[in-house]
Amino acid sequence: MRDTTELNRLFAQLRSASPVGYSAGLHIRFASPLVAEANYDPKWLEHYAANAYALRDPMIAWGLSCEGATRWSEIELPDPFQIWRQAAEFGLNYGVAVSCGPVQSRSIVGCARADREFTDQEISKIVTIVRTLHEISEPETDLTQAQIQALRCIAGGDRHAAAAAKLGISESALKARLVSARERLMARTTSEAIQKAKEIKLL
């Protein structure tokens, strides 16, 4: 089981290191991160999502093609949708991008501030946090057969009572299996656990 307390502690450190916010996608697989956190201005996040900018963001394009860390101002990629300019309207004037991990399971994090460029020392600290986040959020690659069966029943549309009856266990035992599967996969909900299990080919 992964330590969600440690994950939250590291995200708190990232918040402290990012005066106007950060966006983190950990273990991006099939264009979707297994863990996603962001605390930019909610209006910017809403605007970003509504325009599907994740598919057009030069920072993400850089992160998918490179590993390491760079200031946003040093990313020399086309920005036809003027995402940098629009981000600046929400106070995201300066930033750093960090990318780590294999391309099939990459973590990409952006941190921003309004007043000045990040120093080398600040970037080094952020890189350490991001690499640790990547390591501790590494998804489990195995579930017990009991956990897989429980998830499979729910994924197939069974309600708890029906799934428990099908497996010949009590409803409380079924719920315990679902809870342990969620914890192992670092999922907040059973539906999220099912999705993650499918992504790593366990279902």
Side-chain angles (χ1 to χ4, degrees), residues 160 164-165 168-175:
H160 286 173
I169 59 176
S170 68
E171 195 169 339
S172 60
L174 175 85
K175 289 178 180 178

Side-chain angles (χ1 to χ4, degrees), residues 139-144 147-148 184-185 200 202:
E140 295 283 356
T141 56
D142 64 327
L143 291 174
T144 66
Q147 291 165 340
I148 290 172
R184 186 175 282 260
L185 293 169
I200 56 178
L202 294 179

Side-chain angles (χ1 to χ4, degrees), residues 47 56 77 202:
H47 179 70
R56 301 157 172 163
L77 289 173
L202 294 179

Side-chain angles (χ1 to χ4, degrees), residues 12-192:
Q13 289 183 8
L14 207 55
R15 278 194 296 276
S16 296
S18 311
V20 291
Y22 69 85
S23 177
L26 307 181
H27 294 281
I28 299 168
R29 300 177 175 195
F30 309 106
S32 178
L34 293 182
V35 178
E37 291 283 343
N39 73 333
Y40 291 141
D41 183 327
K43 291 181 180 177
W44 168 243
L45 292 175
E46 182 180 348
H47 179 70
Y48 188 95
N51 288 280
Y53 281 163
L55 302 173
R56 301 157 172 163
D57 192 335
M59 188 198 81
I60 293 179
W62 174 87
L64 291 172
S65 61
C66 304
E67 275 194 276
T70 187
R71 293 175 179 88
W72 291 352
S73 60
E74 296 167 345
I75 296 176
E76 297 180 354
L77 289 173
D79 183 20
F81 293 90
Q82 299 293 305
I83 295 173
W84 294 129
R85 180 188 60 75
Q86 293 179 64
E89 294 173 6
F90 291 85
L92 284 68
N93 298 315
Y94 304 94
V96 60
V98 181
S99 173
C100 63
V103 70
Q104 67 271 22
S105 188
R106 181 147 297 176
S107 293
I108 302 173
V109 174
C111 299
R113 60 184 309 138
D115 52 348
R116 59 170 173 77
E117 294 278 16
F118 283 90
T119 66
D120 289 347
Q121 185 176 7
E122 288 167 339
I123 293 173
S124 178
K125 179 181 177 181
I126 290 168
V127 167
T128 299
I129 295 169
V130 172
R131 286 181 176 160
T132 307
L133 278 166
H134 178 81
E135 289 170 9
I136 71 165
S137 64
E138 178 75 36
E140 295 283 356
T141 56
D142 64 327
L143 291 174
T144 66
Q145 197 58 38
Q147 291 165 340
I148 290 172
Q149 288 174 343
L151 287 176
R152 188 172 287 137
C153 285
I154 302 303
D158 289 333
R159 294 186 179 277
H160 286 173
K166 187 179 288 186
L167 297 174
I169 59 176
S170 68
E171 195 169 339
S172 60
L174 175 85
K175 289 178 180 178
R177 291 182 186 184
L178 293 173
V179 168
S180 62
R182 290 199 302 268
E183 290 175 342
R184 186 175 282 260
L185 293 169
M186 292 189 69
R188 294 183 180 89
T189 65
T190 298
S191 60
E192 186 179 337

